[in-house]
Amino acid sequence: VTTTTSAITAVPSDVIRIYQSMSALALEMGAVNLAQGVPEPVHDDTWRAALAAALPTAHFQYTPTRGTPALRGAIGGIYDADPDRIIVTSGCTESLAAALSGLARTGHRTVVWLEPFYSYYPGLARIAGLDHRGVAIDLSGPTPRLDLDGLRATLAPFGERAVLLLNTPHNPSGLVLHGRDWADLRRLVADTGCFLLLDDAYRDFRYGPSPAPYAALLATGRAAIAGSASKSFAATGIRLGWLLAPQELGPVAESVHMHLSNCTPDLVQQAAVRVIEQVTPDVVAQVRDRYRRKRDALLTALTAAGLRTLTPAGGHFVMARPPDGGSWRTGTDYALALAPALGVVPLPLESFFAAPGPPWLRFSFAVSEDDLATACRRLSRQERTGHQGTGHGGPDTWGRGVK
Ligand SMILES: Cc1ncc(COP(=O)(O)O)c(C=O)c1O
């Protein structure tokens, strides 16, 4: 693999464009793109058939702002929740925007999230006019760990004016809350009085027996759930999401949603009802098993390449960094050195942290089996050929021409 400086120097520091820049770099280098945040398109055929079946009866005018009764019923079925609590949106991004803006209009002032954080969060908080604080996930061990005391200390001063925006399974660390964590968390929410906004984008990618207590959370009246078809139904481009909101938030979030996107196309809603019917829990479990295997393969290959990994209990990504003693100033420096040496492009994670820290990278295993197999072969061969550049020395110590 050869690369040109144009691709490297074109990588901008801008938060969102880093995804596009790393993908462009992968294309230019002929490297495997593990930087992207899109799932393997495992349900494309189901979507195609559902859209074709919906087309003859679809209409092309405004739809009800909250979504069609049929789709709200289908989403209610997923969560065992009252369809009257559901607002259909243009993806989880819009659900979060509507919820945060709605919460800002109902007296909330500060949003607290886990750090590293999904890089869209600061922008969404700013649009809503909310201050924000991050609480560090403990990344020192082999698995990411929640710091409940840190959360409590950060939330407590804000009382009922705080929103806890909790993403689990977590992007990028793969942190998943288990039974005991949920009990602790519910106590913390009750004690501090904060509002809990659950980012459920990766709901179907929990690799252990760890369901979320959705019904109990909703029953508190101080919790909302934002989810979407993007990951669960492998359709990031169909732009279909949902917000399950209590009475306190629902009407104001609906009003924000009406001003943001008004409504979701009838064709998409009709097709989504069919897809939800057809992608049964058994199908979801098969996809999840496949992802679990891909996670394990990527972990093995990254370890073989000499990187220090965190084992994710959920989600689509593995976080990795150089072993201690690495001299990389930033994740971007590290990623730009790794990419030509390995023929694999990861996402540098600066934009997922508030302040500079270790050069963490994020590798996606949501790519196709072929791409992942190629990436794993390249990562493993690195060890067999004896390269030692994963943390000891600068880019010059890396070999080139892996492809
Ligand atoms: C944690 C998290 N929340 C929300 C989203 C946005 O999802 P959607 O495509 O449904 O807007 C993503 C997308 O990658 C995500 O990683």
Side-chain angles (χ1 to χ4, degrees), residues 34-287:
L34 301 188
Q36 60 192 347
V38 296
E40 201 183 346
V42 286
H43 301 309
D44 275 12
D45 288 345
T46 311
W47 277 105
R48 277 202 187 90
L51 285 160
L55 199 52
T57 55
H59 69 85
F60 304 102
Q61 311 308 329
Y62 295 122
T63 57
T65 300
R66 273 190 170 247
T68 62
L71 181 55
R72 285 161 57 210
I75 297 166
I78 296 176
Y79 286 91
D80 202 10
D82 180 355
D84 286 348
R85 291 273 166 266
I86 294 169
I87 303 168
V88 174
T89 63
S90 297
C92 191
T93 308
E94 201 214 339
S95 303
L96 293 171
L100 291 173
S101 294
L103 288 163
R105 278 154 190 78
T106 52
H108 298 85
R109 288 289 161 265
T110 302
V111 54
V112 173
W113 52 60
L114 305 180
E115 185 171 340
F117 47 80
Y118 174 49
S119 53
Y120 278 60
Y121 284 176
L124 288 168
R126 272 199 296 277
I127 288 172
L130 293 167
D131 295 332
H132 55 85
R133 303 266 194 287
V135 174
I137 295 176
D138 181 353
L139 304 173
S140 61
T143 54
R145 289 188 31 199
L146 186 66
D147 174 10
L148 266 174
D149 292 340
L151 265 185
R152 184 179 289 275
T154 307
L155 284 163
F158 302 107
E160 293 189 353
R161 292 152 67 92
V163 177
L164 171 55
L165 171 50
L166 181 73
N167 169 220
T168 179
H170 180 258
N171 174 11
S173 76
L175 176 85
V176 172
L177 266 59
H178 297 281
R180 168 85 194 283
D181 299 326
W182 282 113
D184 291 345
L185 188 90
R186 278 160 59 194
R187 200 167 316 116
L188 180 152
V189 167
D191 291 350
T192 61
C194 73
F195 187 98
L196 176 64
L197 175 56
L198 184 66
D199 178 343
D200 205 33
Y202 296 89
R203 54 168 279 118
D204 292 305
F205 297 90
R206 294 178 160 91
Y207 303 120
S210 45
Y214 295 115
L217 294 176
L218 292 171
T220 64
R222 292 276 296 159
I225 300 170
S228 73
S230 290
K231 316 289 170 169
S232 291
F233 300 111
T236 53
I238 207 87
R239 305 313 302 145
L240 181 84
W242 46 82
L243 181 70
L244 278 70
Q247 188 50 38
E248 170 189 341
L249 176 62
V252 62
E254 179 183 349
S255 165
V256 177
H257 160 64
M258 195 170 77
H259 287 81
L260 286 175
S261 69
N262 197 316
C263 61
T264 302
D266 181 60
L267 179 66
V268 168
Q269 296 197 60
Q270 281 201 44
V273 172
R274 292 170 200 262
V275 170
I276 291 171
E277 261 165 33
Q278 281 162 32
V279 181
T280 59
D282 281 353
V283 176
V284 170
Q286 280 167 25
V287 175

Side-chain angles (χ1 to χ4, degrees), residues 300-361:
T300 305
L302 287 169
T303 306
L307 279 79
R308 218 192 96 196
T309 57
L310 284 178
T311 300
H316 287 180
F317 311 107
V318 175
M319 272 179 76
R321 54 184 274 195
D324 292 339
S327 62
W328 309 96
R329 218 173 29 87
T330 65
T332 301
D333 288 351
Y334 187 37
L336 293 180
L338 277 183
L342 296 177
V344 171
V345 173
L347 187 76
L349 288 185
E350 282 97 309
S351 60
F352 289 62
F353 290 90
W360 283 107
L361 304 177

